[in-house]
Amino acid sequence: MAIKKLARILMKSRDDAVSLPTRDDPSFDDSRPIDSQVQEEMVRSFERANDQQSLLWRTVFAVFLFCFAAFLLYSIVQQVSSPWELRYHAYFMEDVDSWMVIAADWIAILACTFSIIGILSKSNYHRRWLWCSFFIGILLSVFWLYFMTSLPRFRWDVIWRPFGPLSGSGICLYVDHLLAESTEEIRKLRGYMYSYKAY
C-alpha cells in the first residue's frame, strides 16, 4: 500500500509540472516537496523490505515442496520393500502395476524439484522451471484421476495424488508472479523519483 501511495505522489509530480509532490503525512505541518535524499532512502527501504519478503516466501514454499518430495521418496521405498502395504497404494493394487506407482512417484519428485529450482533460482529463466513442473503436474493429474475414477468408490483421502505436484507448482507460479509484480512496482517507483534539493 505504501509503495502504491508513494508511486501516486511521484506520478502526480510528473503530470503536474507546476508543483512538486509534498509529504503526505499529517504529522508534518509544512507542504515542502520531498527531498531527493529522502526519496532515495524511502525507495531503498522498500527494496530491502521487498527482498526480505521475497526470500522468506520463496524459502517457505521451497521447504514445503521439499517435505512433500521427501514424503514421496518414503512412499517409493515402502512400495519397493513392502508392495501395497500403504493404504494409498493398496487402493490401486488391482488396476496399476507396482512399477507404475513407483514411476509416478519419481515423476512427482521431479516436478517438485523443478518447482524448488524455479522458486529459488535468480536466473532470468526460472519461470521455465516452474512451467515445466506445472505441465508435469498436469500429466500426473490425468494419470492418477484416470485410475481414481476407475475405483469402485472414489477415494477423497488420496486426492493429493493427482493434485499435490500440480498445486505445488501452481502456487509457486502465483507467488513468483506476485513477487515479480512487487519488484516491478518498486522499479517504477524509482523511475518516478524527481530532483529536488532542500536548502
Side-chain angles (χ1 to χ4, degrees):
M1 287 298 273
I3 294 172
K4 288 187 179 181
K5 193 174 183 183
L6 187 59
R8 275 197 310 273
I9 294 168
L10 294 176
M11 277 194 311
K12 187 179 169 198
S13 75
R14 284 195 160 183
D15 299 337
D16 185 13
V18 179
S19 64
L20 291 171
T22 58
R23 295 175 190 272
D24 195 20
D25 188 344
S27 62
F28 289 103
D29 293 332
D30 59 7
S31 57
R32 289 175 298 160
I34 303 171
D35 186 86
S36 301
Q37 189 176 349
V38 174
Q39 291 177 63
E40 181 67 33
E41 286 172 13
M42 288 174 78
V43 171
R44 278 191 185 162
S45 72
F46 287 139
E47 286 172 341
R48 278 194 302 272
N50 184 61
D51 289 344
Q52 288 171 353
Q53 287 294 316
S54 179
L55 180 64
L56 171 70
W57 288 111
R58 288 178 189 280
T59 305
V60 164
F61 286 102
V63 168
F64 174 75
L65 285 166
F66 179 80
C67 292
F68 185 62
F71 168 73
L72 290 169
L73 190 60
Y74 163 78
S75 292
I76 291 169
V77 170
Q78 283 296 109
Q79 183 65 10
V80 169
S81 61
S82 309
W84 312 116
E85 187 178 275
L86 296 172
R87 185 178 58 185
Y88 53 84
H89 285 161
Y91 290 151
F92 305 99
M93 192 183 334
E94 295 177 11
D95 299 317
V96 187
D97 291 333
S98 181
W99 71 267
M100 290 174 74
V101 172
I102 293 166
D105 283 348
W106 274 118
I107 293 169
I109 289 172
L110 184 69
C112 290
T113 304
F114 285 175
S115 288
I116 292 168
I117 293 169
I119 199 77
L120 292 179
S121 175
K122 294 186 179 182
S123 77
N124 294 333
Y125 307 107
H126 72 280
R127 237 179 232 149
R128 288 184 186 176
W129 290 102
L130 295 173
W131 279 111
C132 190
S133 173
F134 186 76
F135 290 125
I136 291 171
I138 289 173
L139 292 175
L140 281 169
S141 293
V142 170
F143 172 81
W144 283 116
L145 284 172
Y146 172 78
F147 289 109
M148 284 176 71
T149 52
S150 66
L151 292 172
R153 186 164 63 90
F154 193 84
R155 302 288 182 170
W156 288 101
D157 56 331
V158 290
I159 199 72
W160 57 269
R161 273 225 171 266
F163 296 116
L166 183 63
S167 299
S169 57
I171 290 169
C172 285
L173 275 165
Y174 180 67
V175 167
D176 182 67
H177 170 72
L178 289 180
L179 294 172
E181 249 185 13
S182 181
T183 303
E184 186 57 33
E185 286 291 325
I186 293 170
R187 194 174 290 122
K188 284 180 187 173
L189 189 62
R190 185 168 281 287
Y192 296 144
M193 286 170 62
Y194 58 87
S195 232
Y196 175 76
K197 193 81 174 168
Y199 295 103

